[in-house]
Amino acid sequence: MVWEVLEAALDRRVKTAGTAVLDVLDTGGGTGNFAVPVARLGHRVTVVDPSPNALFALERRAAEAGVADRVRGVQGDIHGLFEVVGRGGFDAVLCHGVLEYVDDPAEGLRNAVDALRPAGALSLLAAGLGGAVLARALAGHFAEARQALTDPAGRWGAGDPVPRRFTADQLTDLVGDAGAAVEAVHGVRVFSDLVPGGLVDTQPGALDALLRLEEAAAELPAFQSVATQLHVLGEKRS
């Protein structure tokens, strides 16, 4: 679902920018889960990631996909973004799975938006608070669920591998404060992490039905509040 929303946003940006080839920045893009498909659309993609191993895997993956000439990997992070890329030089910025792990999410998101050209597209994907609370409760860990619900960072305990989680309101506020207008919010993995895998694997047509259910619920605020991840699509203000 995130890919479908992103692809549509890139298509719109192609029309508004008047060029078939966009400059796309993928912050924390790792091994290229999104960067390589974006490059397959014909766009130029710069991936900034702190892990040299991830960047090596990205290079190999891009070569295998035949898009090595359109994918560039640079070692760095979102806090030091402008040490490795220029400001205002990109038509779209992907910030997926980054804000959970940075020291200052507001500063990181400001950098992502500052890297955009006017009217450029922002794709933000981050961990959702409600999904973690619901998952811990359904697993019988009620104290941990309450801890996540009341903790400022949305953590359920010392063993929680995710440093920070967000509500939809928190993310949209961050996007607005960073200088972008929110165009859409989607809940991601509302049901998928709660449905037993065996049920999906053994019931004919269950996977397709689950995907259709996810798509139908994604834009409804009631279900966004319990999504494992939240996706915000924004546009940089002129």
Side-chain angles (χ1 to χ4, degrees):
M1 190 208 68
V2 174
W3 171 250
E4 291 178 358
V5 172
L6 175 61
E7 187 176 17
L10 294 175
D11 287 344
R12 290 193 297 272
R13 181 58 182 163
V14 164
K15 295 174 182 176
T16 59
T19 177
V21 180
L22 302 177
D23 293 303
V24 179
L25 173 65
D26 190 353
T27 64
T31 61
N33 286 340
F34 281 89
V36 169
V38 169
R40 284 199 189 104
L41 297 177
H43 306 307
R44 293 182 292 263
V45 187
T46 299
V47 176
V48 175
D49 195 277
S51 169
N53 291 335
L55 293 175
F56 177 77
L58 166 70
E59 182 179 355
R60 182 175 57 193
R61 188 174 190 171
E64 291 173 350
V67 295
D69 59 327
R70 294 195 293 274
V71 176
R72 179 173 73 104
V74 182
Q75 189 171 1
D77 60 42
I78 201 165
H79 283 314
L81 188 61
F82 300 118
E83 297 173 8
V84 294
V85 301
R87 292 178 184 268
F90 296 92
D91 297 288
V93 171
L94 281 59
C95 185
H96 294 175
V98 174
L99 293 193
E100 300 95 320
Y101 298 97
V102 298
D103 294 333
D104 188 340
E107 179 192 3
L109 196 53
R110 283 195 300 269
N111 286 347
V113 173
D114 286 348
L116 285 167
R117 293 170 177 147
L122 171 71
S123 177
L124 172 64
L125 184 67
L129 170 63
V133 173
L134 186 60
R136 300 315 290 174
L138 291 179
H141 304 300
F142 306 120
E144 292 179 351
R146 188 175 186 280
Q147 171 69 19
L149 187 62
T150 57
D151 183 71
R155 290 171 55 82
W156 48 257
D160 192 337
V162 179
R164 188 180 291 105
R165 294 183 178 88
F166 302 88
T167 65
D169 286 344
Q170 287 172 334
L171 287 179
T172 55
D173 286 347
L174 285 170
V175 169
D177 291 343
V182 174
E183 293 191 326
V185 179
H186 298 90
V188 181
R189 302 188 71 85
V190 176
F191 308 102
S192 298
D193 291 341
L194 303 176
V195 176
L199 177 64
V200 176
D201 294 337
T202 57
Q203 295 293 328
L207 179 57
D208 288 340
L210 177 59
L211 292 176
R212 289 195 298 272
L213 177 61
E214 290 277 1
E215 290 174 353
E219 295 188 59
L220 301 176
F223 292 100
Q224 292 168 6
S225 65
V226 294
T228 300
Q229 293 178 303
L230 293 165
H231 182 247
V232 179
L233 184 68
E235 180 180 292
K236 183 177 181 178
R237 299 189 187 102
S238 300

